[in-house]
Amino acid sequence: MRRPLVTILGKAVKSASKLRGGGSALPGLVVERIDPDFIRYTLAQLPHGVVLVSGTNGKTTTTKMVVELLESQGLQVFTNRTGSNFTRGVAAALLGEVDIKGNLAADIAVLELDEAHAVHFVKVVQPRFSLLLNVMRDQLDRFGEIDTTAKMLQAVAEATSEYVVINREDPRLLKLASSLPKDKVSFFGLDPSLTHLFPNDDAMRGGETDRKNIPPAQAVLQRVEGKSAHISLGKKSVSLNLKLDGIYNIFNAVAAVSLVQAVMGTDLQQAALLTALENVKPAFGRGETLMVKGQPLELVLVKNPGGFRLSLASFLPDGWATMIAINDNYADGRDMSWLWDVEFEGLKDGGVAQVGGIRAYDMALRLQYDEVKVKYVQTDLRKALKQFIEANPNAPKRIFCTYTAMLALRRDLAKITNVEVIS
């Protein structure tokens, strides 16, 4: 009797939270407090188990790709699609999918989890498969040094029961892989000619990756031409035209394919997989394009030096009005010193039309050091967005934003344009 009551209460909190405009993870937090086993017993119903995606950059978009690729294989997939990648976010997503008795209609779960919460999650739920994307310096106030993050991902890998899919271009993940049984690991990677486009954390700081001991990979990105990608899948090479913007998303696509190959094994329907991959659209806030007063407005999530650098390289500023929105709430990381590790010289010619968010003045100061002109600075994000739109009526617009800034911007944009509702 207790479990149906927990589910009913959780659904009631979820409904009340929506009416009040509350965060998507709140109902999950309530349910976790009442019943710490809610996630474990609900996910235990799934015949194909749990797939876990973690790493510093690319989790949300890669998870979305994996979900759609597995659906192309005929599986019904549960996922935490809001991008709330704490365990309470998973619990909240489950509340939206289970019936009153707590039954979950799905074959497999694909879950995005932040590195620290993934460690706690695998102590409760053992994943069958895990995908480890990268290890970058991110939220040092939460995670500590980068090697601490790597140890968190090692705990995830060791807890995985069947297969761990690893980015061979990340030296810390490659070191982690050496401690796992060889029949438990597969890799995805890059042709050597592309490593400069996707630098690992060491490379961004002047280091070099030793490629003498790079293992073979099940999926390799060979060439990139705009949105076109040439990928080798074992002995076969394929060319794809993707709908995703950003060079980093092309490498995420290779990661997603590699994971789905591991999950499906000999049952893989490759033609259906490749068709689905070509049709994947950006996850919300990750290069998402909205229409505002007849002009496109793109939202690009940034949360660490590597991600911000790749976003600036992927989304060229020519002809676009640019805004940067920086918050320092818990989900963003309190320590904004990482902004000083990003090079903003590419924005010099057109400047930045608007800087907004809690740490707007910190961002404006950082831009000043790179001699990037800033037209307006406004800490109130709602006012900043309004000013940005009104001051640039005839220009396409792009906003680089931290996580909570992105959520706030989407709420305000939903009042004036069509925005996908995330429950």
Side-chain angles (χ1 to χ4, degrees):
M1 285 296 294
R2 184 167 181 260
R3 288 176 181 173
L5 289 174
V6 170
T7 303
I8 292 168
L9 177 60
K11 283 180 173 288
V13 173
K14 190 175 180 70
S15 298
S17 179
K18 280 186 187 179
L19 292 173
R20 295 174 60 88
S24 62
L26 175 62
L29 180 61
V30 172
V31 167
E32 280 190 318
R33 293 281 177 87
I34 298 171
D35 186 356
D37 292 327
F38 174 74
I39 293 177
R40 179 180 59 78
Y41 69 68
T42 304
L43 293 179
Q45 304 172 35
L46 300 173
H48 294 281
V50 173
V51 175
L52 193 153
V53 179
S54 195
T56 308
N57 287 335
K59 293 186 291 293
T60 299
T61 297
T62 306
T63 298
K64 185 176 188 292
M65 291 184 199
V66 172
V67 169
E68 294 186 27
L69 297 185
L70 287 174
E71 288 175 341
S72 78
Q73 304 298 300
L75 295 180
Q76 189 169 350
V77 185
F78 164 75
T79 188
N80 52 331
R81 65 190 297 268
T82 66
S84 179
N85 53 33
F86 296 174
T87 52
R88 57 181 176 266
V90 175
L94 282 169
L95 285 170
E97 297 296 326
V98 296
D99 63 18
I100 295 299
K101 295 182 180 180
N103 298 315
L104 179 62
D107 300 309
I108 191 169
V110 179
L111 304 176
E112 166 197 350
L113 283 169
D114 128 306
E115 299 93 315
H117 282 261
V119 172
H120 297 295
F121 178 86
V122 298
K123 293 176 182 177
V124 178
V125 178
Q126 184 180 34
R128 278 188 68 200
F129 301 91
S130 60
L131 172 61
L132 307 183
L133 295 168
N134 43 57
V135 184
M136 311 288 278
R137 291 167 205 273
D138 181 40
Q139 300 191 27
L140 298 182
D141 53 318
R142 283 185 59 218
F143 294 160
E145 256 303 327
I146 188 170
D147 290 330
T148 302
T149 305
K151 289 178 181 177
M152 293 174 183
L153 293 180
Q154 181 165 0
V156 171
E158 291 173 350
T160 302
S161 65
E162 204 158 314
Y163 241 108
V164 184
V165 180
I166 289 177
N167 176 6
R168 72 175 186 185
E169 311 303 335
D170 190 301
R172 287 175 177 80
L173 293 182
L174 200 54
K175 182 179 179 182
L176 176 164
S178 65
S179 66
L180 300 172
K182 290 184 178 180
D183 61 353
K184 189 179 178 180
V185 181
S186 66
F187 298 94
F188 66 96
L190 297 166
D191 183 89
S193 65
L194 296 179
T195 54
H196 69 285
L197 292 176
F198 306 91
N200 58 52
D201 193 85
D202 290 349
M204 284 200 302
R205 285 159 179 78
E208 293 185 5
T209 301
D210 179 12
R211 298 196 64 83
K212 292 179 181 178
N213 298 313
I214 294 290
Q218 280 62 48
V220 176
L221 180 59
Q222 298 173 306
R223 295 200 316 277
V224 177
E225 298 166 0
K227 292 186 179 182
S228 296
H230 301 268
I231 304 171
S232 68
L233 303 175
K235 296 180 180 180
K236 183 178 180 180
S237 183
V238 298
S239 297
L240 300 170
N241 293 311
L242 304 177
K243 292 184 178 178
L244 297 162
D245 287 312
I247 56 173
Y248 50 87
N249 278 333
I250 295 177
F251 194 30
N252 292 338
V254 176
V257 168
S258 188
L259 176 61
V260 174
Q261 285 180 314
V263 172
M264 297 305 300
T266 57
D267 293 330
L268 181 73
Q269 301 171 46
Q270 191 175 92
L273 177 130
L274 297 178
T275 299
L277 186 60
E278 287 192 312
N279 287 291
V280 174
K281 294 180 180 179
F284 79 102
R286 278 75 172 176
E288 175 185 28
T289 301
L290 311 173
M291 293 302 297
V292 177
K293 297 184 178 180
Q295 293 290 341
L297 185 151
E298 290 183 346
L299 294 173
V300 182
L301 178 69
V302 294
K303 63 189 187 73
N304 54 48
F308 210 151
R309 285 187 185 189
L310 284 171
S311 293
L312 290 170
S314 298
F315 298 93
L316 300 180
D318 295 350
W320 290 71
T322 300
M323 174 175 168
I324 302 177
I326 304 295
N327 278 353
D328 65 348
N329 295 313
Y330 176 76
D332 305 298
R334 301 288 189 186
D335 181 3
M336 288 291 118
S337 63
W338 63 266
L339 292 170
W340 293 87
D341 291 329
V342 184
E343 298 170 355
F344 293 97
E345 286 88 348
L347 297 174
K348 283 174 79 170
D349 289 346
V352 172
Q354 183 82 49
V355 176
I358 299 168
R359 300 294 286 270
Y361 283 98
D362 297 76
M363 186 68 246
L365 176 64
R366 174 67 192 93
L367 291 170
Q368 182 179 351
Y369 270 80
D370 275 357
E371 300 180 354
V372 178
K373 291 183 179 180
V374 177
K375 194 167 185 180
Y376 297 112
V377 181
Q378 170 60 257
T379 55
D380 186 310
L381 202 51
R382 182 170 296 174
K383 292 180 180 178
L385 177 64
K386 185 173 184 291
Q387 190 171 43
F388 179 55
I389 293 171
E390 290 179 351
N392 303 278
N394 300 316
K397 302 166 187 66
R398 182 176 294 124
I399 306 177
F400 297 98
C401 44
T402 57
Y403 182 68
T404 67
M406 180 263 290
L407 295 180
L409 289 166
R410 290 181 93 258
R411 284 195 295 271
D412 288 334
L413 287 165
K415 299 172 184 176
I416 59 174
T417 190
N418 293 324
V419 176
E420 180 188 6
V421 176
I422 303 297
S423 59

